[in-house]
Amino acid sequence: MKKKFTEATGNTLAPLRPHLKWLVVGFAIVISFGSILYTNSLVEQIRDREQRQIEIYASSLEFLANESENVNFFLILDEIVAANHSIPVILTNEDEVPEDYRNLDKADRYTDQEERMQFLKAEILEMKEAHPPIEVTLKDDQDNIYGHKYIFYKNSFLLNQLRYYPYIQLSVIGLFGVVIFMVLNYIKRVEQDRVWVGLAKETAHQLGTPLSSLMAWSEYFKDLYPEQKEALLEFDKDVDRLGVITDRFSSIGSEPQLSQLNIVDVIDDIVVYLQKRLSTKIMMTVSSFPNRDIEAKINQSLFAWVIENLCKNAADAMEGKGSINISILRANEGRIAVDVQDTGKGIAKSKIKNVFRPGYTTKKRGWGLGLTLAKRIIEQYHQGKIFIKHSEIGKGTTFRIYLNG
């Protein structure tokens, strides 16, 4: 059954790739760029239409001015562009001195004629940068040119709004995408938490019956084989360890109780227990800096689980031969750093980002949840951090844990 499950998933619980999230992101990008292209097309069309309106107005002015000496130029403008009161326009003489204007609300605020003239001249400079002026040629009855007028204009407020609209829209879509991304991550995390909590509590429940039986058998063997006192003592230690493991699984999903403990002593006890149960060719050492009096706020049972998991993974990576060194030191900002260093096979850089994902494992057996649970215990329960500090193929790996002092 387990073999079939492994084959079906590729490598036990193969990590699920976030295809759905990237599909949503890609769809949002396509919509955004499509919106930008479409809006830019509308902007070009409106700009061309406004330019044609001004050109029609200029042609009409030129025609009527040459037909009649008394022409109210802006009366013609009002008639021609009556449907659009948003195109800012300034009419000047051939020396570019403003004679009249339309759709410049700011100019109306100036009561002083000189200040208004300065404002209009500044607007003419801005209009020159936006569009070249349209020239109106004035001719007499003999078709001789006797003067010119110029029409300066710039994009309407509506056109400017449309120009920036796609970027505003893109920002809104981007913000919406970030919110959706966070919501999906939250839902996924909640679902994972429920699965892990359910799995852990069910495991603790299932361990309860055989554990009680083992405790009874231990008492029976003590009476039956009193000469095997040392062996039965180690048997009791393993039974007690199973009890600790059961308590650990029961603690998943509940708020753990943290205590201020000497972390060096805690790790020493873990190493003493593991040293007798790992290969005799594996050397385990513990070092601390600046002294052995280093305390951290931890849940002893859950923290021991993390260290045991890292050490057992290291032993597997070294294939039963090598050394594991655990270093404890005071770090910055009152934190405690714990390094677990092995001389194993190392981890490829391309795979480092996957080691804490549920289901990732390089072993032929196992569900690949050990490091995932270790990360959960350190970062969620202890408010710390765990990561790979260094890894080199053929030389080993160093995991670092940060805890609050």
Side-chain angles (χ1 to χ4, degrees), residues 170-223:
L170 183 60
S171 300
V172 172
I173 292 174
L175 180 62
F176 179 74
V178 170
V179 172
I180 292 297
F181 187 81
M182 292 174 65
V183 169
L184 289 176
N185 273 344
Y186 175 76
I187 293 173
K188 179 181 178 182
R189 189 163 58 248
V190 169
E191 289 177 348
Q192 287 178 343
D193 287 348
R194 288 177 179 174
V195 171
W196 292 342
V197 170
L199 177 63
K201 291 190 177 298
E202 179 63 21
T203 301
H205 177 72
Q206 294 296 332
L207 284 174
T209 302
L211 181 59
S212 299
S213 178
L214 285 173
M215 293 172 68
W217 278 109
S218 175
E219 296 300 321
Y220 174 76
F221 287 135
K222 285 178 183 177
D223 294 334

Side-chain angles (χ1 to χ4, degrees), residues 121-152:
K121 288 180 178 179
E123 284 293 310
I124 288 173
L125 294 176
E126 184 179 332
M127 290 176 174
K128 277 184 179 180
E129 295 180 1
H131 302 284
I134 297 176
E135 185 180 49
V136 178
T137 303
L138 303 177
K139 299 178 182 179
D140 58 19
D141 295 338
Q142 284 74 39
D143 208 28
N144 296 318
I145 298 174
Y146 66 88
H148 298 86
K149 290 188 180 296
Y150 293 99
I151 299 173
F152 293 88

Side-chain angles (χ1 to χ4, degrees), residues 196-339:
W196 292 342
V197 170
L199 177 63
K201 291 190 177 298
E202 179 63 21
T203 301
H205 177 72
Q206 294 296 332
L207 284 174
T209 302
L211 181 59
S212 299
S213 178
L214 285 173
M215 293 172 68
W217 278 109
S218 175
E219 296 300 321
Y220 174 76
F221 287 135
K222 285 178 183 177
D223 294 334
L224 190 63
Y225 304 105
E227 71 279 4
Q228 300 293 333
K229 184 177 180 179
E230 185 175 349
L232 290 172
L233 183 62
E234 291 299 320
F235 180 79
D236 281 343
K237 288 183 180 179
D238 284 332
V239 172
D240 290 341
R241 180 62 59 169
L242 281 174
V244 171
I245 292 172
T246 302
D247 290 338
R248 289 172 181 171
F249 279 113
S250 297
S251 300
I252 297 296
S254 304
E255 190 68 27
Q257 298 298 317
L258 304 182
S259 304
Q260 198 75 20
L261 299 174
N262 187 318
I263 197 168
V264 181
D265 291 341
V266 172
I267 291 177
D268 278 340
D269 292 341
I270 298 169
V271 169
V272 169
Y273 174 80
L274 288 176
Q275 189 70 76
K276 294 182 180 180
R277 286 155 181 81
L278 297 179
S279 170
T280 55
K281 296 180 180 180
I282 293 178
M283 178 64 67
M284 298 186 69
T285 59
V286 179
S287 59
S288 60
F289 181 84
N291 50 51
R292 289 185 55 84
D293 187 21
I294 301 177
E295 292 188 350
K297 203 170 185 179
I298 61 171
N299 178 284
Q300 183 171 354
S301 177
L302 293 179
F303 179 73
W305 189 358
V306 173
I307 299 300
E308 288 175 18
N309 188 275
L310 294 178
C311 291
K312 289 176 181 178
N313 282 351
D316 290 337
M318 295 185 296
E319 297 180 346
K321 183 178 181 181
S323 63
I324 300 173
N325 180 57
I326 303 176
S327 304
I328 308 108
L329 62 148
R330 296 187 182 277
N332 296 328
E333 301 175 356
R335 295 184 301 175
I336 307 301
V338 179
D339 288 348

Side-chain angles (χ1 to χ4, degrees), residues 66-190:
N66 294 327
E67 289 294 322
S68 174
E69 294 182 359
N70 300 316
V71 178
N72 188 328
F73 292 105
F74 270 92
L75 180 61
I76 300 170
L77 173 63
D78 287 338
E79 293 296 328
I80 295 174
V81 292
N84 190 335
H85 295 285
S86 61
I87 305 174
V89 177
I90 298 177
L91 179 68
T92 73
N93 59 22
E94 55 189 352
D95 295 323
E96 297 186 1
V97 176
E99 294 183 347
D100 210 339
Y101 62 90
R102 284 291 184 276
N103 301 322
L104 285 170
D105 295 336
K106 288 184 179 181
D108 296 331
R109 299 175 188 173
Y110 293 98
T111 56
D112 183 76
Q113 185 65 27
E114 184 63 28
E115 290 181 353
R116 182 183 299 175
M117 190 64 67
Q118 293 299 323
F119 171 78
L120 292 174
K121 288 180 178 179
E123 284 293 310
I124 288 173
L125 294 176
E126 184 179 332
M127 290 176 174
K128 277 184 179 180
E129 295 180 1
H131 302 284
I134 297 176
E135 185 180 49
V136 178
T137 303
L138 303 177
K139 299 178 182 179
D140 58 19
D141 295 338
Q142 284 74 39
D143 208 28
N144 296 318
I145 298 174
Y146 66 88
H148 298 86
K149 290 188 180 296
Y150 293 99
I151 299 173
F152 293 88
Y153 70 101
K154 63 181 180 180
N155 297 333
S156 65
F157 180 69
L158 174 62
L159 185 59
N160 288 329
Q161 281 185 313
L162 284 174
R163 187 184 299 275
Y164 295 108
Y165 171 74
Y167 302 101
I168 297 174
Q169 185 184 41
L170 183 60
S171 300
V172 172
I173 292 174
L175 180 62
F176 179 74
V178 170
V179 172
I180 292 297
F181 187 81
M182 292 174 65
V183 169
L184 289 176
N185 273 344
Y186 175 76
I187 293 173
K188 179 181 178 182
R189 189 163 58 248
V190 169

